[in-house]
Amino acid sequence: MEPAAARPRPLLTAATVLPQDAERAALVARVHSPRWDGPCVAAVRGEHVVDLTAVAPTVSDLLERDDAAEIVREAVGGHTWRLDDLLAAPVGRRDIAHLLAPVDLQVIKAAGVTFARSLLERVIEERTGGDPAQAARVRARVGQLVGGTLDGIRPGSPEAVKAKELLVAEGLWSQYLEVGIGPDPEVFTKAPVLSAVGTSADIGVLGASVWNNPEPEAVLVVDSHGRVRGATLGNDVNLRDIEGRSALLLSRAKDNNASCAIGPFIRLFDEDFDLDTVRGLDLDLRIDGTDGYVLHGSSSMREISRDVLDLVAATHGPHHQYPDGFVLFTGTLFAPTEDRQSPGAGFTHEYGDIVRISSPRLGALTNTVVPSEQAAPWTFGVRALLHSLARRGVL
């Protein structure tokens, strides 16, 4: 496999990444600027991207302002880039301006097991010990015993308690069912601050993993007061074999180089886009392999088991604060069972897969799968950000 720096990015244009109603949307981007060797906070205005760093040095700062959407639409900016040029930049070139993940100082959190269908797939991972060869057999057994038992159950409700009793009696209770239908959701830290990759970048799958898949998710963007200010798309890459061996390996399965993609832009809440819009989002997934393999999938926020504000409340409150805000992956309905490499083994990525996650109101996030060990190293952290902003005199 050729090095990440030598590979072209997937062919993207403004028309393929913007929301369908982009002309009405307040869209926030981040752009790597070779001039400053660092990121710029930017507004997407049509097919142009305008530097707003002099107004808000970080996205975190911007989202603390009640007039954030107005700033994105109207504030006088600095340098302007063509969106098509940013999307055409090759992988790994710091001397060329390109899009970054649209978040910076926010802590990257994720809620897991928030959909009944994917909940059962986590149980299957656990029952197989992460062995994909056993997946079909265990899936059939779980489906036979559980069937539609979990459909429509509100976590923590009396109905959930009864379902738990049934599953315990069948010997099927697991830690995944506890967080799926029990009173407390699973919320974990997905990735370190500033480590997420943006659209058209490589996304990493740990080289040791032989059973893995993308997780297309709506991602809430929340300020330091716990207010949801907007949303974006995310890929919470899942290493099913590693997590299936033990839930205590969650960080090994979830937090690796380039294993978290967010983007393409943050869409801020306004009169045309709000929390109810997010609750009704449909997310589409397409995977294109280098061998001509194509997989289509989807996830609907209408089928989520816990309301998104319940997930926010489980993350932020008197028990935990986030002074720079946070983003929250809300989970996915997508759980691929289609065989790819061998009968009964289910789906797993192959290197070179192009993964496109899209939603009409949020645009499209596209990434190419590589081994995490071969993705561009993560070298730009908080110290580098502070030094870059200080050189510009915007702190």
Side-chain angles (χ1 to χ4, degrees), residues 63-84:
L63 296 183
E64 292 299 307
R65 299 185 56 159
D66 291 335
D67 59 348
E70 181 181 346
I71 289 172
V72 168
R73 288 192 174 98
E74 301 178 6
V76 176
H79 187 81
T80 298
W81 302 270
R82 291 182 66 248
L83 180 54
D84 282 342

Side-chain angles (χ1 to χ4, degrees), residues 22 46 49 74 135 140 172 221 223 246 285 326 349 391:
V49 181
E74 301 178 6
L172 281 177
V221 185
D223 69 13
S246 171
L285 172 78
F326 63 97
H349 272 307
R391 286 195 298 270

Side-chain angles (χ1 to χ4, degrees), residues 130 132 204-212 239-243 245 252-253 256 348-349 351 370-374:
V205 169
L206 201 64
S209 175
V210 296
W211 188 21
N212 48 69
L239 308 186
R240 302 188 67 177
D241 49 351
I242 293 177
E243 185 180 353
R245 281 160 44 202
R252 178 70 167 164
N256 298 291
T348 195
H349 272 307
Y351 300 140
V370 302
S372 289
E373 297 86 345
Q374 293 186 23

Side-chain angles (χ1 to χ4, degrees), residues 29-363:
R30 283 174 70 242
V31 177
H32 169 75
S33 167
R35 176 185 178 188
W36 301 113
D37 191 28
C40 297
V41 179
V44 182
R45 297 172 180 170
E47 296 189 0
H48 292 88
V49 181
V50 181
D51 185 4
L52 296 181
T53 311
V55 181
T58 68
V59 176
S60 175
D61 285 304
L62 175 64
L63 296 183
E64 292 299 307
R65 299 185 56 159
D66 291 335
D67 59 348
E70 181 181 346
I71 289 172
V72 168
R73 288 192 174 98
E74 301 178 6
V76 176
H79 187 81
T80 298
W81 302 270
R82 291 182 66 248
L83 180 54
D84 282 342
D85 291 341
L86 298 175
L87 293 167
V91 172
R93 291 282 300 274
R94 297 191 62 80
D95 61 330
I96 299 177
H98 58 269
L99 287 177
L100 302 168
V103 300
D104 44 39
L105 295 179
Q106 294 89 350
V107 177
I108 303 173
K109 306 292 287 189
V113 203
T114 54
F115 290 81
R117 190 187 310 168
S118 62
L119 183 162
L120 292 179
E121 286 298 311
R122 300 292 85 76
V123 175
I124 290 163
E125 289 168 17
E126 182 181 57
R127 292 283 159 172
T128 63
D131 180 2
Q134 304 298 318
R137 176 184 59 80
V138 175
R139 185 174 294 112
R141 174 62 174 161
V142 170
Q144 178 186 14
L145 293 175
V146 179
T149 302
L150 303 179
D151 293 347
I153 286 183
R154 183 170 56 85
S157 67
E159 292 77 14
V161 173
K162 291 180 181 178
K164 176 178 178 178
E165 292 172 352
L166 170 64
L167 294 166
V168 169
E170 295 288 352
L172 281 177
W173 186 251
S174 84
Q175 54 209 336
Y176 294 105
L177 287 160
E178 177 62 45
V179 296
I181 65 175
D184 299 311
E186 177 191 26
V187 179
F188 58 93
T189 299
K190 164 64 181 176
V193 169
L194 288 174
S195 69
V197 299
T199 199
S200 76
D202 290 334
I203 191 163
V205 169
L206 201 64
S209 175
V210 296
W211 188 21
N212 48 69
N213 60 253
E215 292 196 343
E217 304 190 21
V219 180
L220 305 178
V221 185
V222 188
D223 69 13
S224 66
H225 304 287
R227 301 179 301 173
V228 184
R229 303 303 307 279
T232 185
L233 297 170
N235 187 348
D236 177 16
V237 178
N238 181 28
L239 308 186
R240 302 188 67 177
D241 49 351
I242 293 177
E243 185 180 353
R245 281 160 44 202
S246 171
L248 296 179
L249 293 172
L250 180 65
S251 62
R252 178 70 167 164
K254 290 291 189 180
D255 183 9
N256 298 291
N257 191 35
S259 64
C260 176
I262 298 175
F265 318 111
I266 296 171
R267 181 164 186 170
L268 298 179
F269 286 170
D270 56 19
E271 62 278 3
D272 291 318
F273 184 80
D274 58 17
L275 206 54
D276 283 336
T277 313
V278 173
R279 291 184 175 109
L281 288 176
D282 290 319
L283 280 63
D284 293 318
L285 172 78
R286 178 182 171 117
I287 300 173
D288 288 274
T290 58
D291 57 354
Y293 174 87
V294 177
L295 175 69
H296 293 278
S298 63
S299 183
S300 174
M301 290 295 289
R302 288 186 294 274
E303 296 189 44
I304 198 167
S305 301
R306 302 179 192 266
D307 186 71
V308 291
L309 285 184
D310 291 336
L311 298 177
V312 172
T315 308
H316 175 278
H319 64 290
H320 205 313
Q321 297 78 47
Y322 296 85
D324 299 308
F326 63 97
V327 296
L328 180 61
F329 282 73
T330 56
T332 185
L333 181 64
F334 177 69
T337 59
E338 174 184 312
D339 290 337
R340 181 175 190 180
Q341 296 174 339
S342 59
F347 171 85
T348 195
H349 272 307
E350 292 187 3
Y351 300 140
D353 282 352
I354 296 176
V355 182
R356 184 178 189 270
I357 298 168
S358 62
S359 187
R361 306 299 299 274
L362 292 174

